[in-house]
Amino acid sequence: MDPNTLLSVRDLSVSFRLDRRAKEPGFAAVKGISFDIPENTTVALVGESGSGKSVTSLSILGLLPAENATVQAGSQIIYGGRNLLELSNDELRRLRGRDISMIFQEPMSSLNPVFTVGHQIAEVLRLHMGMGQRQAQARVLELLAEVGIPDPLAKSRAHPFQLSGGQQQRVMIAMAIACNPRLLIADEPTTALDVTIQKQILELLAALQDKHRMSVLFITHDLAVVGEIADRVVVMRSGEIREQGTTEEVFQRPQDAYTRALLQCRPPLAHRPRRLAVIDDFMKPGGAPPATEDRPRGLNGGEPIILEVKQLGKSFFSRQGLFGRSEFKAVEGVSFKLARGKTLGVVGESGSGKTTVGLTLMRLHEATAGQALFEGRDILSMSRGEFKPYKRRIQIVFQNPYASLNPRFTVGQILTEPLLIHGLGGGDAGRGRLVRELLARVELPEASYHRYPHEFSGGQRQRIAIARCLTMKPDILICDESVSALDVSVQAQVLNLLQDLQDEFDLSYIFISHDLAVVKYMSDQVMVMNEGQVVEFANSDDIYLRPQHPYTRRLLAAVPSADHRIRAQPG
């Protein structure tokens, strides 16, 4: 083994028993993979959901579920001259946190909501470093300051839910580096974060790596992020390594069709192809998507307006003292016009008010000010009964389809329910026929009718959510971060579907997202929001080519790009 190699994976194979009573392993999640992690180097492990990258990281830490996971004979993970797969639980426990640490994707699932963040970081120091209470508390404040959390003393006394998403992730990083590990495993640490917070976290990880001279195994599905931070790239698909090499080699001269597909599935900022490339385009004979012309975007001012919002406001109130109350203005003075058959992109960081705008237009929040004129009538001042016919003409697709689909209903029941509520589709036979037509329209097999949401992938569940909206034959579809949690390849499929539906049914979209590349691809106009207010509004190309507001320029500067590196090449 190369003396500069910190950890070496050799012929790793992991299988899972789908039936716990079965004696033989069933599903092969990882199939004989090998790669090295050199000292003071960032290695990116890249692939779609189900590629085996997270199983690989859990294997390194010995965190695979013992009841149904099997590591095949001959597998090796060499660290410090020892095979980690042969260590006892006590030996692995001493290794975790001190030598090898991990940052998980969702900090709120990893942080204990009952304890303060200071207590949780101190627990790591007491367990692995043998520190006393006073020494651990002092070190906690140093760590919180090191990861860029303001007022470390106050934040150390806060519970996780009292911190923003970016601050929660910084706490996870502080916990992971508390014992100065030699290897840090970061499992999708920026996937759910705004672009500005994502950039801050990536820069923080790079700075900490240089300071502590540690190696990083960075797990992600986003190659744009990889291009900024990684020194080496390992591309996985279906449990196998398809390609590995330096970042420059993989990005500039990709050898595998799957790698080329991942690089080109994400919407480009430089132009707007009529259809996005998908994985299947590259895996079929020929290995390239069909060439398409660019799609024109923008408004010329003569388009018919379907929705006009005037001075929309939404405040939330909470009790303050015995008789008083405080007001939080989530949305203030928002005005815009939505043209028929066009897309309005709404961008901004978490807390900017963009989701509140969508929920208020749906009457899921009651507006505290303003009007929303739908074909000349104010839908915000209508009674519930008056609004019902309009309710089916404005539909919403949420970010998490699994949370918005009833797990006890089959797909057929999920799609039939709104038809029954609104008295559409005729009898049972007519509704069943309409539902099957919609399944075909969103490219799901007819057999989906009798299956349950948990039997589908994330992208398929989002298609079901879109099909449910289409049962109402809406005029306006609000897409609230509806593709942000999807792999780039699945995201491309859903974006193509949304565009096809808009072309066919002349739908108008309000497309809410923190992903500026996706917003540029989908939108005719873009509305930029910050702290509940609109700071810029223009045609999408104008926003991206000539941003006027400093906040807009800051958002655009944070978009990940493989063209520049956060961290310089080692050496």
Side-chain angles (χ1 to χ4, degrees), residues 305-309 336-338 361 372-374 379 476 510:
I305 302 300
I306 189 171
L307 178 71
E308 183 175 4
V309 175
F336 62 87
K337 294 179 181 180
L338 178 65
L361 294 176
L373 304 177
F374 185 93
I379 58 176
I476 298 173
I510 298 177

Side-chain angles (χ1 to χ4, degrees), residues 305-310 336-340 361-363 371-382 386-395 472-478 506-508 510:
I305 302 300
I306 189 171
L307 178 71
E308 183 175 4
V309 175
K310 298 181 177 180
F336 62 87
K337 294 179 181 180
L338 178 65
R340 183 177 293 279
L361 294 176
M362 288 290 299
R363 298 278 296 266
Q371 295 178 304
L373 304 177
F374 185 93
E375 296 180 341
R377 293 200 61 188
D378 182 14
I379 58 176
L380 301 182
S381 63
M382 293 178 178
E386 290 176 312
F387 181 62
K388 187 175 180 180
Y390 290 89
K391 190 174 183 178
R392 69 179 182 84
R393 298 180 64 187
I394 306 176
Q395 292 288 301
M472 298 289 93
K473 297 182 178 179
D475 296 290
I476 298 173
L477 198 58
I478 301 172
D506 206 26
L507 293 172
S508 299
I510 298 177

Side-chain angles (χ1 to χ4, degrees), residues 367-422:
T368 50
Q371 295 178 304
L373 304 177
F374 185 93
E375 296 180 341
R377 293 200 61 188
D378 182 14
I379 58 176
L380 301 182
S381 63
M382 293 178 178
S383 67
R384 291 289 178 181
E386 290 176 312
F387 181 62
K388 187 175 180 180
Y390 290 89
K391 190 174 183 178
R392 69 179 182 84
R393 298 180 64 187
I394 306 176
Q395 292 288 301
I396 187 167
V397 182
F398 294 100
Q399 176 176 355
N400 185 349
Y402 195 67
S404 61
L405 299 175
N406 191 327
R408 297 178 181 272
F409 280 16
T410 65
V411 170
Q413 291 171 316
I414 289 169
L415 300 187
T416 301
E417 184 183 34
L419 296 173
L420 287 168
I421 291 173
H422 290 274

